Amino acid sequence: MSAYIARRILLMFPTLLGILFVSFVVVQFAPGGPVERVIAQLSGADTGASRVSGASGGDFGNRAQVGASNDAVNSKYRGAQGLDPDFVKSLEKQFGFDKPAPERFALMLWNFARFDFGKSYFRDTSVLQLIKEKLPVSMSLGIWMMLLTYLISIPLGIRKAVQDGSKFDTWTSAVIIVGFAIPGFLFAILLIILFSGGSFWSIFPLRGLTSDGWDQFPWYWKILDYFWHITLPLISMALGAFATMTLLTKNSFLDEIRKQYVMTARAKGCNERQVLYNHIFRNAMLIVIAGFPGAFIHAFFSGSLLIETIFSLDGLGLLGFESVLNRDYPVVFGTLFIFSLVGLVVNLLSDLAYMWIDPRIDFEAREV
């Protein structure tokens, strides 16, 4: 076991290096960048700037007006005409683009090895501080989504397996398949239209996790207000996970029900409840429970991107979306590194969970 864990940990380093290298190369060829974005804002050509970069453009604009020139600037940046060449060079230095790409990549690796992710280009704060500020929102969505999914999907999947082929199994399967086929973000829009004043009822709020003046509410009203705001985002996020977990649970129990040891338990006189929970349950739940760490992290870091954007929830998903729009590369690469590292660690924990649930699994004999 120790040798397997050591091999997996050693493989994390080249995996992280490959992820960062590919992402860095893609960014070099991607059109636009922080320098071009600021120049576009100064020239009035940027119509798609988000709220983050829009606040920073004024500061750059004041500096540009001081050094502006009427002569055209011989620059590689479109829209830089009329700006002082020294100002353009100062922008490149400020964003670190005065160095060649290999040197910038090597410096980034050195900083990331020390967990130094730098500061945001367009926010006066560090990347780690930004993640710390946004994490509670994503954690809140992730925790409730996982609780809702597991508390409903596992009992439903077990009942569907026990009543396989019945009318209950048929109509619930139809509902699950429809739910699985609808993307979460599309379902979120449908809920907004129906219940957030889109075209029908105005029952739930459209944005945020709390109402104005939430700090002055009594404790019981704070709880009600929080769940009032989180209802639609939570349903939208849990839809796909609910369908997947229900079918996974059902198929896992069906596989175990048809095995020889179940027939032996019934032949010994065990009733169906004893057979189900004393013999089948542990083996059938192996794949469901062992996959919990991965599903838990997925709910935090990747499942909420579009939902947070649609409902204007200030979490990690919205932070990543805005960072990509604004070419805020320290935030983009910092979050990518952290999420990739967490994902690799969680994959290892998922494998170890298999062994904890079923000691018969031998990782020492497994090839990585």
Side-chain angles (χ1 to χ4, degrees):
M1 175 57 64
S2 58
Y4 172 77
I5 295 176
R7 290 197 302 268
R8 289 290 298 270
I9 293 176
L10 290 176
L11 280 174
M12 291 181 185
F13 296 102
T15 303
L16 286 172
L17 179 62
I19 292 172
L20 291 176
F21 176 75
V22 172
S23 302
F24 186 85
V25 171
V26 170
V27 164
Q28 303 312 303
F29 292 99
V35 178
E36 294 92 328
R37 194 158 186 78
V38 172
I39 291 175
Q41 291 173 9
L42 297 177
S43 63
D46 184 13
T47 59
S50 72
R51 60 183 182 182
V52 177
S53 59
S56 303
D59 176 61
F60 288 117
N62 293 333
R63 293 167 53 189
Q65 291 174 1
V66 175
S69 171
N70 292 327
D71 298 326
V73 178
N74 183 18
S75 173
K76 60 184 176 181
Y77 303 109
R78 291 185 300 175
Q81 287 78 9
L83 297 180
D84 189 346
D86 292 334
F87 172 68
V88 176
K89 290 181 180 179
S90 69
L91 283 180
E92 292 180 339
K93 184 175 181 180
Q94 179 175 346
F95 292 122
F97 286 91
D98 56 330
K99 302 179 180 67
E103 183 178 348
R104 284 188 280 118
F105 181 68
L107 180 62
M108 183 182 71
L109 291 181
W110 169 247
N111 290 333
F112 280 17
R114 297 178 291 119
F115 286 88
D116 178 11
F117 304 108
K119 297 180 66 174
S120 168
Y121 285 159
F122 300 103
R123 309 176 194 233
D124 189 23
T125 185
S126 67
V127 174
L128 286 177
Q129 182 63 30
L130 277 175
I131 295 176
K132 182 179 178 181
E133 292 175 358
K134 311 301 181 184
L135 186 60
V137 175
S138 296
M139 287 187 64
S140 177
L141 292 173
I143 289 174
W144 287 113
M145 191 199 81
M146 293 302 302
L147 287 176
L148 181 65
T149 300
Y150 273 77
L151 289 177
I152 296 178
S153 298
I154 292 178
L156 179 59
I158 294 174
R159 185 176 177 185
K160 284 174 62 63
V162 172
Q163 301 183 16
D164 183 42
S166 65
K167 291 183 178 180
F168 172 81
D169 179 49
T170 301
W171 72 261
T172 53
S173 295
V175 173
I176 289 172
I177 292 173
V178 171
F180 184 77
I182 300 176
F185 72 90
L186 188 61
F187 192 68
I189 296 174
L190 175 63
L191 292 178
I192 289 174
I193 294 174
L194 291 176
F195 302 111
S196 292
S199 299
F200 296 90
W201 304 281
S202 182
I203 300 175
F204 296 99
L206 183 59
R207 62 183 66 242
L209 287 181
T210 56
S211 300
D212 295 335
W214 185 81
D215 293 335
Q216 282 72 44
F217 292 169
W219 66 268
Y220 57 88
W221 195 254
K222 287 183 178 180
I223 297 175
L224 292 176
D225 182 75
Y226 168 76
F227 281 106
W228 181 47
H229 281 77
I230 205 175
T231 299
L232 296 188
L234 187 59
I235 294 174
S236 303
M237 287 181 59
L239 183 65
F242 161 77
T244 303
M245 186 60 62
T246 301
L247 294 178
L248 178 65
T249 304
K250 176 191 174 182
N251 293 334
S252 180
F253 271 80
L254 281 178
D255 288 341
E256 296 298 324
I257 287 174
R258 296 163 181 165
K259 290 185 178 179
Q260 184 66 39
Y261 73 90
V262 176
M263 298 176 61
T264 303
R266 286 170 177 163
K268 290 181 178 180
C270 296
N271 58 43
E272 288 300 317
R273 185 176 182 85
Q274 290 176 325
V275 171
L276 181 63
Y277 292 102
N278 294 345
H279 296 81
I280 297 175
F281 188 83
R282 180 175 179 179
N283 293 329
M285 290 300 295
L286 172 63
I287 189 172
V288 177
I289 297 176
F292 178 80
F296 192 66
I297 296 299
H298 172 79
F300 284 171
F301 297 128
S302 58
S304 61
L305 192 154
L306 290 174
I307 302 302
E308 288 182 9
T309 303
I310 292 172
F311 289 98
S312 298
L313 304 177
D314 199 12
L316 292 175
L318 187 60
L319 172 65
F321 177 74
E322 290 184 345
S323 300
V324 172
L325 281 184
N326 292 289
R327 306 299 193 268
D328 199 346
Y329 293 145
V331 179
V332 172
F333 284 112
T335 52
L336 175 66
F337 178 84
I338 292 175
F339 296 167
S340 300
L341 179 61
V342 171
L344 292 172
V345 173
V346 167
N347 284 336
L348 176 59
L349 293 178
S350 297
D351 284 347
L352 297 181
Y354 278 103
M355 187 207 69
W356 177 70
I357 297 172
D358 189 351
R360 296 172 298 177
I361 298 177
D362 183 13
F363 282 105
E364 293 290 351
R366 175 181 171 182
E367 295 293 334
V368 180

